[in-house]
Amino acid sequence: MLLALVAAVALLLIIASLVWRGTQRAYDRLDTSERARVELGARVEALERQRAADLQMLDGLGEGLLAVGTDRRIAIANRRFRELFGDFESIGKPLHDVVRVSQVFEAFDRALAGEESVERFSIRSGAVERKIEMRALPLRSDSIAAVALFIDVTAIERLEQMRRNFVSDFSHEVRTPLAGLRSAVETFETGGDRLGVEEDAQLRRIMARQLLRLERLVDDLSELTRIESGDVTPDIREVDLRRVVDDLGEDFADQAAQNGIRFVVHGEAAVRGDPLRIQQAFSNLLDNAVKYGGRGKEVLVEIVDEPDFAVVRVSDQGEGIPESELENVFRRFYRIDKSRSQDIPGSGLGLAIARHIILQHRGSIDVESEPGNGATFIVRIPKRLPSPSVQAAASR
């Protein structure tokens, strides 16, 4: 009986042991599954964080980025691309629903075929026309077949055009004095010993005049470069504009008399500014009025004292400026009538220098004109200016 009881207890212990072991194995299997699930969730979360960081980095690029799959649907489009092409819900869309530029399609066709390419084209972004350089290349991955960068080269194109214009304009300006010098030198070389006293003196005057013209051109160009680059630190003080204009009227008295021009000045005002620079700006404006104001005419200077600004209007009675040319008159080397530039002395930089000086004083300069009714240059200068250090920084 006791043996049977012991055997029964032993059997129960064995059964309990087997049940515990089975339960433990089940629990172990559950722990392994849970750990796998947690590890998988952590990996997915890490991938999501990495994707978000990558997208944030792509959105920080200054260039547009677009990636497409083999089906030509958009997989990635960063913030700059969406701004350029004006589509802020482009992910998943077919390429032709977002972009309407044939060069983009052609570049992606080549990229999907395994070729890199570069295209340039123009797009309108808002009210602005932009020049875009597109660089497309193949990218072999599970979800992306081709990628392209869209680089806004509008500013570079503008600078390149400015450089070409500068070289062209400078060449035009120096051609006339160089031709005069060459002619005089050749005359001296070929027949200098046969020249009379009067001819010799005339040739020397021509050479001196053309050399002076070249010197003035170089000096004005150097001055304009210094002003544009911010190398000039203004000496800020009280400036009496009426006194400046009256003094300039005396300086231009002989030149005005030769052209039969009379100066008329009305009003007065004072501003805070650099006296020498302000005088230089108005000197260039009066010089322009005397040159183009017409013989026997009047140059009117009106000074208006407003609460925050002094306004100066310099008006002539010359031939005026065509409307299509108004926006170009402050461009360096610009002449309205190229055929007359040889007859009218000057470097073609005076109005450009005046404009930059006024801008350095945080003011503005505009021109109004109608052909046949003269031109009026309107200058607005604030009465109060920041400190010289702030001005120097602003001029840059």
Side-chain angles (χ1 to χ4, degrees):
M1 186 67 179
L2 181 61
L3 184 62
L5 182 60
V6 170
V9 171
L11 181 60
L12 289 173
L13 288 174
I14 292 171
I15 293 172
S17 177
L18 291 174
V19 170
W20 182 86
R21 289 179 183 177
T23 304
Q24 185 65 41
R25 284 197 295 271
Y27 277 121
D28 288 344
R29 286 195 297 272
L30 286 174
D31 288 347
T32 301
S33 176
E34 179 66 18
R35 284 197 300 270
R37 188 186 67 78
V38 171
E39 290 177 0
L40 180 60
R43 290 180 183 179
V44 170
E45 185 178 351
L47 289 173
E48 289 293 337
R49 286 198 302 268
Q50 183 62 49
R51 175 180 170 80
D54 291 342
L55 291 176
Q56 186 176 8
M57 181 179 65
L58 292 178
D59 280 343
L61 290 176
E63 296 79 26
L65 183 139
L66 182 69
V68 301
T70 54
D71 57 357
R72 287 178 169 77
R73 288 184 176 274
I74 295 175
I76 298 174
N78 73 344
R79 175 185 55 80
R80 183 57 179 154
F81 173 84
R82 298 192 299 269
E83 289 174 351
L84 288 172
F85 289 88
D87 193 317
F88 292 90
E89 299 294 337
S90 52
I91 304 300
K93 290 183 178 180
L95 180 63
H96 58 77
D97 285 354
V98 177
V99 181
R100 302 287 194 276
V101 181
S102 61
Q103 291 94 328
V104 175
F105 301 137
E106 294 167 2
F108 270 113
D109 286 343
R110 288 191 290 270
L112 291 171
E115 300 177 15
E116 297 184 13
S117 62
V118 178
E119 294 282 351
R120 281 207 176 193
F121 53 85
S122 298
I123 62 171
R124 184 161 292 280
S125 180
V128 180
E129 182 175 354
R130 297 190 178 278
K131 302 288 185 180
I132 303 297
E133 180 176 290
M134 175 189 178
R135 298 174 180 268
L137 66 155
L139 186 65
R140 302 304 181 191
S141 73
D142 294 337
S143 58
I144 299 176
V147 66
L149 278 178
F150 296 83
I151 305 168
D152 187 347
V153 294
T154 307
I156 297 174
E157 289 273 344
R158 187 182 300 116
L159 289 173
E160 180 61 23
Q161 185 60 46
M162 290 173 60
R163 184 192 66 80
R164 289 193 293 266
N165 289 341
F166 172 80
V167 172
S168 175
D169 293 340
F170 183 79
S171 300
H172 175 81
E173 288 297 323
V174 302
R175 188 175 294 118
T176 299
L178 287 177
L181 285 171
R182 183 185 299 110
S183 177
V185 170
E186 289 175 353
T187 302
F188 273 117
E189 288 180 345
T190 58
D193 55 345
R194 297 190 299 273
L195 293 175
V197 175
E198 185 176 345
E199 292 175 320
D200 182 89
Q202 182 182 9
L203 285 175
R204 292 181 186 277
R205 286 195 300 272
I206 291 174
M207 294 175 69
R209 186 166 59 249
Q210 300 306 332
L211 283 172
L212 181 62
R213 186 171 180 176
L214 285 173
E215 289 176 355
R216 185 168 55 241
L217 176 62
V218 172
D219 289 344
D220 284 350
L221 185 58
S222 176
E223 178 73 2
L224 179 58
T225 301
R226 289 178 63 227
I227 295 172
E228 287 180 334
S229 64
D231 289 340
V232 178
T233 302
D235 178 19
I236 305 299
R237 63 180 69 179
E238 190 82 7
V239 181
D240 185 338
L241 293 180
R242 178 59 183 257
R243 177 67 179 272
V244 169
V245 173
D246 286 342
D247 289 346
L248 289 172
E250 294 179 2
D251 294 341
F252 281 97
D254 291 340
Q255 183 180 344
Q258 292 174 5
N259 291 277
I261 287 177
R262 185 170 66 96
F263 286 116
V264 178
V265 183
H266 296 306
E268 58 184 30
V271 297
R272 294 280 297 173
D274 187 322
L276 292 179
R277 294 297 171 189
I278 289 178
Q279 184 183 53
Q280 183 181 15
F282 284 108
S283 175
N284 290 340
L285 290 176
L286 291 180
D287 181 60
N288 182 79
V290 170
K291 288 175 180 175
Y292 296 98
R295 298 188 65 84
K297 303 292 185 178
E298 179 180 280
V299 171
L300 174 62
V301 181
E302 300 173 282
I303 305 172
V304 181
D305 189 4
E306 295 185 351
D308 297 319
F309 289 86
V311 181
V312 182
R313 301 169 63 92
V314 180
S315 304
D316 63 58
Q317 297 176 336
E319 297 178 2
I321 306 170
E323 184 178 357
S324 59
E325 307 285 351
L326 288 176
E327 63 181 25
N328 296 318
V329 295
F330 297 106
R331 204 182 79 196
R332 58 175 70 189
F333 298 120
Y334 185 77
R335 301 289 186 94
I336 295 172
D337 187 352
K338 297 289 185 182
S339 64
R340 296 179 60 200
S341 63
Q342 297 182 15
D343 302 325
I344 300 176
S347 64
L349 296 171
L351 292 180
I353 290 174
R355 176 179 179 272
H356 280 284
I357 290 174
I358 299 303
L359 291 178
Q360 187 184 44
H361 283 76
R362 307 294 285 273
S364 65
I365 180 169
D366 299 292
V367 59
E368 297 177 351
S369 180
E370 293 181 6
N373 293 322
T376 299
F377 288 84
I378 306 164
V379 177
R380 293 172 60 85
I381 304 176
K383 292 183 175 181
R384 289 171 292 277
L385 287 175
S387 64
S389 60
V390 174
Q391 278 299 102
S395 66
R396 292 182 176 88

